[in-house]
């Protein structure tokens, strides 16, 4: 036998223990492979040690060469392997070395086949001389070099197993001839069992660790969202901070969430070398993304340098964010609806009250007006009395106007509906108010849609709506400005927008707009009934009002009426029932 360096069995024991011990530490798969390969090279004192290990559809190839200056190189190939042992090949061409590895992994030969031990390991002390016989076994072809796998003469290839499965091979290479004897090969075969076990347990360890990180992250997220009075912004910032510890290299990991144009990020999100991201999609619309990035190069894994566990975690988090947004939206909608109901309730009560009062006042007012007008006609009235009576008449007329508006607001006058083109109403109303606009130095812009569908409505009530909105706009621009009126068809709605460049409104005013008698104007200028009337008319037409305004920024009133009218539908139903 050749020059064995005759390691004592204690040496093998100590190494086995060291490897097992190391497998319980949490490091990445790659660092683990590197370290094991390094240990084996150091211990065996040969020229190179190579480990080929598979994990599902990946093959890790780690080779350490003497003298070891840099960490051993690791290569990962990932593909769907055509046959069971295809992972052992680093390309589609099988080299002689790889054919040997494959024969070992498959336990194709055992003693008495030359070169193979009874455990299926391969061993030769002189590759060069072995070539013809390897060719006879189909393990070397004409194209293969004398020293496959590098400039080595001695080669030992041992299977690595976990349970019954072969998970890899261990190759010891030496430039010396007859480097390993039978005993030493047997000792390495023993050691290989430990290496196989360590690899399997380390994999389980890493998987478990990833799972624990994932659960910790999700648990912290749950805690975060359950905190009382926490805002969505605080939650997003919290999530971003939970991310780095859940990724493989926390020290170079930064994270951010971009959502509806806002960004939440860890302080160090700058130069990203690798990014893993997941879209945040709410109700089919992409609203943003959650991103994790590495600031430095890291070795390729499942998805770039990221693990598939990390992919699943980032996707889960994106889905959680979607759920959070949806839940918040539902809460807000509910609150908004409640507020609307309260508002409608209040308006209805006030409306009933107003209608009653208006009714009661109508009679006496008619008498006052009638008698005043009669008295006015008396001949020989003293001047003073004539002037006073004129005042009574004007005031009574004003009062009657208010009563009329009150009744309109309370919807005492039922709408008389017919097909109406909103553009015509706009033209009518503007015709009436044109001179007031010119007087007040207001430019009028009209953008009227040419093919506006007709709506079913009461034209005189729509007229009221326009007059009220335009008068308000004029009053809001005492120093002139621009009044823009726009009509537009939007799906099943016809939209009317009245916009001014006037004084605008505070939130406080906006909140009270539809409350009868709410006005910020002088007693002669406003009654505070304009918008409540608008509101009454619009809702009785099945429409909606939307207002945008801020102090100093003008106001925009958008009103939409349904094209398919509900009033008409109701009538149809009534007819149908009568028949
Ligand atoms: P009135 O015009 O009689 O005051 P309204 O119900 O029409 O009553 O309007 C209520 C209040 O809403 C107004 O007093 C005013 O403060 C505010 N407002 C309405 N329209 C506008 C507008 N275009 N720009 C600014 N403020 C407005
Ligand atoms: Mg008004």
């Amino acid at each position: 036998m050749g020059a064995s360096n005759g390691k004592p069995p204690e040496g093998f024991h100590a190494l086995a223990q060291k490897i097992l011990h190391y497998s319980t530490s949490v490091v990445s798969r790659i660092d683990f492979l590197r370290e094991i390969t390094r240990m084996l090279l150091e211990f065996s004192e040969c020229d190179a040690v190579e480990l080929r290990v598979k994990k599902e559809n990946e093959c890790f190839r780690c080779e350490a060469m003497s003298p070891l200056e840099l960490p051993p190189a690791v290569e990962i190939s990932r593909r769907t392997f055509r046959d069971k042992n295809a992972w052992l090949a680093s390309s589609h061409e099988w080299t002689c070395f790889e054919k040997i590895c494959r024969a070992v992994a498959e336990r194709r030969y055992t003693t008495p086949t030359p070169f193979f031990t009874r455990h299926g390991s391969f061993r030769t002390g002189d590759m060069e001389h072995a070539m013809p016989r390897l060719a006879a076994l189909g393990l070397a072809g004409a194209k293969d070099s004398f020293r496959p796998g590098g400039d080595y003469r001695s080669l030992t290839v041992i299977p690595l197993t976990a349970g019954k499965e072969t998970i890899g091979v261990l190759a010891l290479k030496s430039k010396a001839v007859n480097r390993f004897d039978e005993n030493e090969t047997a000792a390495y075969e023993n050691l290989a069992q430990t290496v196989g076990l360590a690899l399997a347990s380390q994999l389980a360890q890493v998987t478990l660790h990833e799972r624990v990180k994932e659960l910790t992250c999700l648990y912290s997220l749950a805690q975060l969202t359950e905190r009382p009075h926490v805002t969505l912004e605080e939650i997003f910032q919290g999530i971003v901070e939970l991310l780095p510890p859940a990724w493989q290299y926390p020290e170079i990991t930064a994270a951010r969430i971009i959502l509806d144009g806002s960004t939440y990020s860890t302080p160090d999100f700058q130069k990203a070398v690798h990014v893993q991201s997941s879209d945040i999609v709410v109700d089919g619309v992409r609203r943003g993304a959650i991103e994790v990035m590495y600031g430095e190069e890291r070795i390729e894994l499942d998805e770039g340098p990221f693990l598939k566990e990390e992919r699943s975690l980032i996707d889960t988090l994106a889905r959680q964010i979607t759920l959070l947004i949806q839940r918040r939206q539902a809460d807000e909608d509910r609150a908004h609806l409640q507020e609307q109901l309260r508002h409608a309730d209040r308006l209805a009560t006030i409306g009933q009250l107003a209608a009653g009062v208006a009714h009661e006042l109508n009679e006496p007012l008619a008498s006052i007006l009638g008698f005043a007008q009669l008295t006015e006609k008396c001949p020989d009235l003293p001047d003073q009395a004539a002037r006073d009576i004129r005042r009574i008449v004007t005031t009574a007329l004003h009062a009657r106007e208010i009563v009329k508006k009150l009744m309109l607001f309370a919807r005492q006058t039922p709408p008389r509906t017919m097909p109406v083109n909103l553009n015509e109403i706009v033209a009518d109303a503007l015709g009436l108010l044109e001179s007031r606009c010119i007087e007040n130095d207001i430019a009028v812009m009209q953008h009227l849609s040419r093919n506006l569908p007709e709506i079913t409505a009461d034209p005189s009530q729509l007229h009221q709506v326009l007059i009220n909105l335009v008068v308000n706009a004029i009053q809001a621009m005492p120093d002139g400005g621009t009044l823009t009126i726009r009509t537009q068809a939007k799906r099943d709605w016809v939209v009317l927008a009245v916009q001014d460049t006037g004084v605008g409104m505070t939130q406080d005013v906006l909140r009270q707009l539809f409350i009868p008698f709410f006005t910020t104007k002088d007693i002669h200028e406003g009654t505070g009934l304009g918008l409540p009337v608008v509101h009454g008319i619009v809702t009785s037409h099945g429409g909606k009002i939307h207002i945008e305004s801020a102090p100093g920024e003008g106001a925009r009133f958008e009103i939409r009426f349904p094209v398919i009218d509900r009033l008409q539908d109701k009538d149809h139903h009534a007819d149908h029932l009568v028949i």
Side-chain angles (χ1 to χ4, degrees), residues 452-465:
L452 200 64
E454 288 188 327
I455 51 172
T456 312
D458 182 328
S460 70
Q461 291 193 355
L462 290 194
H463 191 76
Q464 274 274 346
V465 167

Side-chain angles (χ1 to χ4, degrees), residues 71-184:
V74 178
E75 216 177 75
I76 304 173
S77 51
R78 191 174 301 110
R79 57 202 142 97
T80 335
F81 301 115
R82 263 170 299 132
D83 67 88
K84 205 165 128 260
N85 288 309
W87 56 273
L88 279 162
S90 42
S91 75
H92 289 292
E93 291 276 326
W94 288 80
T95 64
C96 172
F97 173 66
E98 285 166 351
K99 285 178 194 162
I100 293 171
C101 288
R102 182 179 185 159
V104 168
E106 290 172 359
R107 310 294 167 88
R108 202 184 302 158
Y109 308 107
T110 49
T111 333
T113 311
F115 310 120
F116 288 89
T117 69
R118 61 192 177 91
H119 291 113
S121 305
F122 173 89
R123 177 175 70 88
T124 177
D126 192 347
M127 242 358 227
E128 204 169 323
H129 283 104
M131 280 319 258
R133 278 188 291 164
L134 286 175
L137 285 171
L139 297 178
K143 274 190 288 170
D144 286 311
S145 75
F146 285 125
R147 292 168 190 178
D151 187 19
Y152 305 112
R153 299 294 289 272
S154 296
L155 179 66
T156 299
V157 183
I158 301 168
L160 295 174
T161 49
K164 288 210 166 73
E165 201 198 351
T166 304
I167 58 160
V169 291
L170 157 67
L172 303 162
K173 308 171 185 179
S174 174
K175 287 175 186 162
V177 181
N178 294 333
R179 175 65 178 68
F180 307 104
D181 65 18
E182 213 171 315
N183 291 337
E184 202 174 359

Side-chain angles (χ1 to χ4, degrees), residues 468-469 472-473 475-476 500 503-505 509 513 518-521 525-532 555 557:
N468 275 318
L469 294 181
N472 279 349
Q475 288 173 333
D500 63 61
V503 293
M505 288 170 266
V509 171
L513 281 188
F518 170 78
T519 180
T520 57
K521 295 169 191 169
E525 269 214 300
T527 55
L529 283 173
L531 290 178
F557 285 76

